[in-house]
Amino acid sequence: MDYSPAPESPDLAFEWLQKHKAGFGLFINGKWHKPKTAKVFKTVNPASGQKLAAVTEAGKSEVDTAVKAAKLAFPKWNALSGHQRARYLYAIARQIQKHSRLFAVLESLDNGKTIRETRDIDIPLVIRHFYHHAGWAQTLESEFPEHTPLGAVGQIIPWNFPLMLLSWKIAPALAAGNTVVLKPAEFTPLTALLFAEICSQIGLPPGVLNVITGPGETGSLMVKHPDLKKIAFTGSTEIGRLIREQTANSDKKLTLELGGKSPFIVFEDADLDSAIEGLVDAIWFNQGQVCCAGSRLLVQESVAEKVTSRLKTRMAKLRVGDPLDKSMDMGAIIAPIQKKRIQKLVELGQKEGAEIWQWQGKLPEQGCYFPPTLLTNVSPASTVAQTEIFGPVLTSMTFRTPDEAVMLANNSAYGLAASVWSENINQSLHVAPKLKVGVVWINCTNQFDASVGFGGYRESGYGREGGHEGMLEYLKQKNEPSGTYKRLALKSVTKHSKTLNTELDRTAKLYIGAKQTRPDSGYSLPVVNADGSLAGEIGHGNRKDIRNAVEAANKASGWQSVTPHSRAQILYFIAENLETRADEFRNRLMKLTGVSGKQAVLEVETSVKRIFTYAALADKHEGLIHQPPMRGLALALNEPIGVMGIVCPDESPLLGMLSLLLPALAMGNTVVLIPSRPFALAATDFYQVLETSDVPSGVVNIVTGDALELGTVLAKHDDVAGLWVTGTTEECANAKKFSSGNMKIIWTNDGKQLDWFDNQQSEGREWMRRAAQVKNVWIPYGE
Ligand code: NAI
Ligand code: MG
């Protein structure tokens, strides 16, 4: 059967461009600005190479003006009631709905993606996002009573889903009461500018939303701007890492949604025809320029040949061409530079031994197109199996057993999404928790919804967009720490004991894999009592000790599959054993820190209570069941982060340490702990409590020494997945900067002083959230 062309008319979009004389300024403080001195650049239609419009490049002074407008608009916007903000978001949703055809056509023209996708997927998701978040605005005060917005936030988005990613960023930001400066990608600024116009039409107060256009440099100016309280970025891992390093020295909140190399796993008992259709959607949707594209096919050996041959038959039938033709499956690649990148990677794949099979149809003569491509015989370590190609290229590998499938799937620096295809729901739900990814689609792929969080593990970034967890990324706790954190000065021994103190013969060793171990350095450090007498000695831990501790923590990963009930039991046992030794700890705290007996008792008692809290929460930090608009459910599971490094505060050495350790343990993480240096003996005394409480070996490891030095080693270690640092501004900045390698999930006190006795600040769900990451598992049902 032949198709005749079924083009959607671009007239509506060209009329709109004409109305603006195909030249756009920056949308700042509710008005269009065209500074005379600013550079302009053009945006083109990738399907034809034709220029669509000229757009203004925002430089330093324009970025400053936009940020200032957002900053000034914040107090009033924040002072509105949730209901008032909800009305604006609702009005935005209605307007987009009204103009949906214009948006769909304009998006297709500017980006090269098919009208079928913009009309049926992008724009409906955008509308849904604003409606859903109008609801979060409406209920903000009751749903998030402990939280307040951040202020003016900066948002930087890529070109692959221009309007959709705009909505993922703007809707939660505004719903939470923040004001926004958004920069669309240089290839695709037009729908963001149309969106700005719509916001102005519905009367959104000036300065609440500012849209500035420009290249990476404009984004970089935003990242460095001191008045933006958060940067939300979607784009390449390379730039994400750079942004993380550039914001390390600030208390800007940061969420990163980065690249991926998502596995598409087909088991032999899958409905193969559905799986093939899913695969088409996974890798040829939006020409494969999708961060969560199912670009790595992992197929069980017994059905591999069948799948490959059916896939080729299906691929041959794909229609590639004019994006505005309603019957096209695939449109144009964003730009020649991207096409070259794809081409180069495909050639490299062939050089590395992959076999290539390509769609044989005729590509349009003009414009930027790349044929659907399949690479088979790909080895797991090869470049094309590891690197994000961001184009219509599928790599294929085989596996024999479910375990091997999981191993191959996780053999990636990324962790954005995975599809699992099997008619055996037992098998799928067994595999889903083992995949180190933020989203799992069972017997489906590329499902998105405003109510369901989206975001990655590992180098795919951190933070979630959508749903409850997405809202939290635009809020902060009302009761934030304040005051500058200072490490206590180390004392030297000034008081020498006349009688021989037998305690001193003993150097408190490190605690690694449930064994007391001598430090690799062979050196020890003195710990001095408040009165200047020597309290004892601790091991001087170094890089090697941290490595051993991380290895032990890694081996103890079984802790995460211990049932929450059993974890709770062990935590209660810790509390009980600490209480048994309450006098011993009280004396230690009094002597070491010089606090009164009353204060020391309070610290021990509060510590016991805190352990009880986390024992209680261990089996109560449950996930959610979402009901997105599909026949199916999405399970939001709270999962542990993995191996966590924790750098403890000096003050309240027992309570401070336990306030950090316990939520991490309750969530199922294993921990390498760096206790307070001046009061380390409070931590080393705690070994005995751990030893008598049935805590499995390797779940808690303690390395004593210098916080900055050991914190940096933890930050750089690729097997550490999460890092919490309470310390000075320098320690916090250091931790953020040096942990960008594997994009650790990080929390720091940003150099501020926490009050460990304040339950609101230092205890509870917020800490369970910090110790967890959310995985959403989509499960469709019905025939
Ligand atoms: P990119 O990461 O450079 O650009 C994304 C956004 O960040 C754009 O708005 C850009 O102007 C801005 N930007 C660039 N440099 C910046 C900086 N130093 N500071 C602040 N903002 C900056 O991605 P690009 O160049 O468009 O594509 C390069 C590759 O990245 C693609 O081939 C693809 O592999 C990958 N990519 C992945 C995406 C994803 O969603 N996973 C999205 C876009 C690109
Ligand atoms: Mg364009």
Side-chain angles (χ1 to χ4, degrees):
M1 193 174 74
D2 264 352
Y3 291 86
S4 42
E8 172 79 44
S9 162
D11 292 353
L12 204 61
F14 283 120
E15 273 162 31
W16 180 74
L17 290 172
Q18 268 319 306
K19 205 178 87 193
H20 287 269
K21 302 198 171 59
F24 292 86
L26 310 166
F27 186 75
I28 299 176
N29 210 21
K31 291 196 205 70
W32 293 101
H33 284 253
K34 263 192 211 173
K36 284 197 190 75
T37 51
K39 288 190 217 157
V40 290
F41 62 102
K42 62 177 182 182
T43 183
V44 302
N45 177 357
S48 65
Q50 271 162 0
K51 175 181 164 181
L52 292 168
V55 182
T56 305
E57 180 174 329
K60 176 147 189 350
S61 107
E62 291 78 38
V63 171
D64 284 346
T65 315
V67 174
K68 198 170 157 201
K71 190 181 170 185
L72 287 176
F74 172 67
K76 258 196 181 165
W77 178 247
N78 182 29
L80 294 183
S81 68
H83 174 66
Q84 283 168 311
R85 280 196 299 271
R87 282 182 173 268
Y88 285 110
L89 288 167
Y90 182 77
I92 291 173
R94 297 276 298 159
Q95 280 300 308
I96 298 175
Q97 210 159 19
K98 254 194 219 159
H99 297 285
S100 58
R101 210 164 76 86
L102 171 58
F103 270 110
V105 174
L106 191 63
E107 191 79 313
S108 175
L109 282 175
D110 205 10
N111 168 283
K113 61 168 75 187
T114 64
I115 184 77
R116 202 172 49 84
E117 287 177 12
T118 59
R119 184 195 59 197
D120 298 345
I121 299 167
D122 295 58
I123 309 303
L125 278 169
V126 169
I127 295 164
R128 160 93 178 124
H129 224 82
F130 280 102
Y131 278 130
H132 179 80
H133 283 87
W136 282 123
Q138 175 73 28
T139 56
L140 191 76
E141 289 102 342
S142 57
E143 293 285 325
F144 300 95
E146 311 288 330
H147 289 82
T148 68
L150 307 169
V153 300
Q155 307 184 319
I156 301 170
I157 54 176
W159 41 260
N160 54 343
F161 292 91
L163 193 68
M164 191 171 104
L165 293 177
L166 171 149
S167 73
W168 286 20
K169 298 265 180 302
I170 291 181
L174 296 188
N178 303 280
T179 54
V180 170
V181 178
L182 174 124
K183 188 194 90 61
E186 48 274 47
F187 289 131
T188 53
L190 293 178
T191 46
L193 296 169
L194 173 59
F195 178 84
E197 189 172 279
I198 271 184
C199 288
S200 157
Q201 280 164 8
I202 63 139
L204 189 73
V208 170
L209 168 72
N210 306 276
V211 176
I212 56 175
T213 44
E217 290 79 69
T218 307
S220 190
L221 288 164
M222 291 167 65
V223 169
K224 291 174 192 154
H225 203 296
D227 288 340
L228 290 175
K229 299 297 175 202
K230 168 181 173 126
I231 294 292
F233 172 81
T234 299
S236 61
T237 295
E238 183 196 352
I239 300 295
R241 189 168 282 134
L242 189 71
I243 293 178
R244 165 125 169 196
E245 286 160 10
Q246 286 171 344
T247 53
N249 231 325
S250 73
D251 59 2
K252 269 194 183 63
K253 220 170 156 151
L254 183 64
T255 43
L256 300 174
E257 204 273 272
L258 310 173
K261 190 78 187 176
S262 299
F264 188 102
I265 307 169
V266 181
F267 286 102
E268 59 188 2
D269 63 356
D271 170 352
L272 294 186
D273 289 329
S274 303
I276 301 280
E277 280 316 300
L279 201 46
V280 167
D281 187 32
I283 185 64
W284 293 302
F285 172 53
N286 201 14
Q287 297 69 253
Q289 303 168 129
V290 181
C291 50
C292 54
S295 54
R296 267 192 307 149
L297 170 62
L298 305 176
V299 54
Q300 198 153 14
E301 213 171 72
S302 50
V303 291
E305 254 177 58
K306 221 192 260 176
V307 167
T308 311
S309 100
R310 285 197 208 178
L311 179 60
K312 287 177 183 170
T313 310
R314 180 67 182 88
M315 278 172 78
K317 292 199 182 114
L318 289 172
R319 304 198 69 227
V320 186
D322 179 11
L324 284 181
D325 185 329
K326 287 174 226 160
S327 64
M328 284 300 160
D329 295 307
M330 239 179 72
I333 300 295
I334 189 70
I337 180 179
Q338 186 65 14
K339 185 176 157 180
K340 258 185 229 148
R341 222 175 266 158
I342 300 167
Q343 183 66 48
K344 252 178 127 173
L345 280 164
V346 168
E347 281 162 15
L348 186 64
Q350 286 176 276
K351 264 191 214 140
E352 288 180 343
E355 279 164 37
I356 186 169
W357 195 90
Q358 271 180 323
W359 178 84
Q360 290 302 317
K362 195 164 166 286
L363 292 174
E365 269 154 27
Q366 279 190 338
C368 191
Y369 292 89
F370 197 90
T373 301
L374 171 67
L375 295 175
T376 51
N377 201 19
V378 169
S379 77
S382 66
T383 312
V384 285
Q386 294 294 333
T387 308
E388 180 178 50
I389 298 177
F390 227 63
V393 182
L394 178 68
T395 60
S396 163
M397 281 164 276
T398 59
F399 65 86
R400 287 188 183 161
T401 62
D403 280 349
E404 200 193 345
V406 169
M407 203 187 66
L408 278 174
N410 288 339
N411 179 21
S412 169
Y414 294 114
L416 195 47
S419 286
V420 178
W421 293 76
S422 163
E423 288 300 286
N424 179 351
I425 191 74
N426 260 340
Q427 165 138 299
S428 302
L429 290 179
H430 174 69
V431 164
K434 298 184 176 197
L435 297 170
K436 292 183 177 159
V437 297
V439 186
V440 177
W441 291 301
I442 294 179
N443 293 336
C444 60
T445 192
N446 279 340
Q447 297 293 316
F448 312 100
D449 184 59
S451 69
V452 186
F454 181 88
Y457 281 31
R458 309 201 274 188
E459 286 182 44
S460 291
Y462 47 81
R464 295 289 179 267
E465 295 189 306
H468 186 266
E469 61 262 37
M471 283 298 291
L472 283 169
E473 305 287 357
Y474 284 94
L475 293 163
K476 62 179 183 190
Q477 280 205 297
K478 276 183 184 154
N479 184 3
E480 281 235 304
S482 55
T484 308
Y485 188 86
K486 286 200 192 81
R487 287 281 177 195
L488 299 176
L490 285 176
K491 286 204 181 101
S492 38
V493 180
T494 51
K495 190 174 154 194
H496 296 277
S497 142
K498 291 191 192 86
T499 55
L500 187 71
N501 187 343
T502 48
E503 274 256 308
L504 294 188
D505 294 343
R506 207 192 66 158
T507 297
K509 300 195 183 72
L510 313 179
Y511 188 67
I512 297 176
K515 288 197 187 70
Q516 303 205 16
T517 333
R518 278 178 209 291
D520 168 68
S521 67
Y523 293 116
S524 50
L525 301 164
V527 175
V528 183
N529 281 322
D531 68 359
S533 63
L534 184 64
E537 295 195 315
I538 52 163
H540 187 170
N542 66 14
R543 172 184 305 269
K544 183 110 186 284
D545 301 310
I546 293 283
R547 274 215 299 265
N548 293 337
V550 171
E551 201 182 317
N554 228 336
K555 278 200 192 130
S557 64
W559 179 243
Q560 55 178 278
S561 26
V562 168
T563 64
H565 169 74
S566 306
R567 278 206 296 269
Q569 296 302 301
I570 291 172
L571 300 196
Y572 281 125
F573 206 15
I574 296 179
E576 207 178 287
N577 285 320
L578 176 60
E579 197 156 58
T580 315
R581 293 168 182 263
D583 289 348
E584 193 187 306
F585 278 94
R586 183 203 58 200
N587 291 341
R588 175 65 90 188
L589 290 173
M590 284 168 67
K591 269 195 178 164
L592 266 182
T593 66
V595 291
S596 67
K598 205 171 141 207
Q599 183 64 24
V601 168
L602 183 67
E603 180 166 348
V604 177
E605 280 176 0
T606 312
S607 296
V608 172
K609 276 192 226 152
R610 193 142 292 166
I611 304 175
F612 260 73
T613 296
Y614 290 109
L617 286 176
D619 65 354
K620 287 170 198 66
H621 192 57
E622 292 164 313
L624 285 169
I625 301 175
H626 295 300
Q627 292 182 280
M630 71 184 287
R631 280 177 62 76
L633 302 168
L635 311 181
L637 307 174
N638 290 324
E639 294 195 336
I641 294 170
V643 175
M644 287 184 63
I646 297 181
V647 180
C648 298
D650 283 349
E651 74 287 355
S652 316
L654 182 67
L655 180 62
M657 173 179 78
L658 295 180
S659 302
L660 298 165
L661 175 65
L662 266 297
L665 293 186
M667 239 353 276
N669 300 285
T670 58
V671 174
V672 176
L673 201 72
I674 316 296
S676 153
R677 160 72 186 86
F679 305 140
L681 290 178
T684 56
D685 290 351
F686 193 69
Y687 300 166
Q688 281 133 34
V689 175
L690 291 170
E691 276 167 354
T692 48
S693 307
D694 295 346
V695 178
S697 129
V699 169
V700 183
N701 306 277
I702 304 180
V703 180
T704 48
D706 180 71
L708 183 62
E709 179 192 333
L710 297 179
T712 306
V713 179
L714 279 172
K716 289 182 179 167
H717 200 304
D718 277 346
D719 286 338
V720 177
L723 182 60
W724 288 355
V725 174
T726 36
T728 60
T729 313
E730 186 196 1
E731 285 172 58
C732 298
N734 218 54
K736 289 187 212 172
K737 193 164 123 212
F738 290 118
S739 62
S740 70
N742 68 343
M743 292 290 180
K744 286 179 184 57
I745 297 185
I746 195 163
W747 173 87
T748 77
N749 61 330
D750 282 321
K752 307 235 172 69
Q753 181 71 52
L754 268 87
D755 178 355
W756 300 105
F757 288 89
D758 176 347
N759 286 347
Q760 219 195 356
Q761 202 172 73
S762 304
E763 179 177 301
R765 287 242 183 234
E766 186 79 13
W767 288 90
M768 293 297 282
R769 261 184 228 123
R770 286 174 189 156
Q773 50 189 340
V774 184
K775 171 186 282 175
N776 275 284
V777 181
W778 292 69
I779 311 170
Y781 50 66
E783 281 302 306

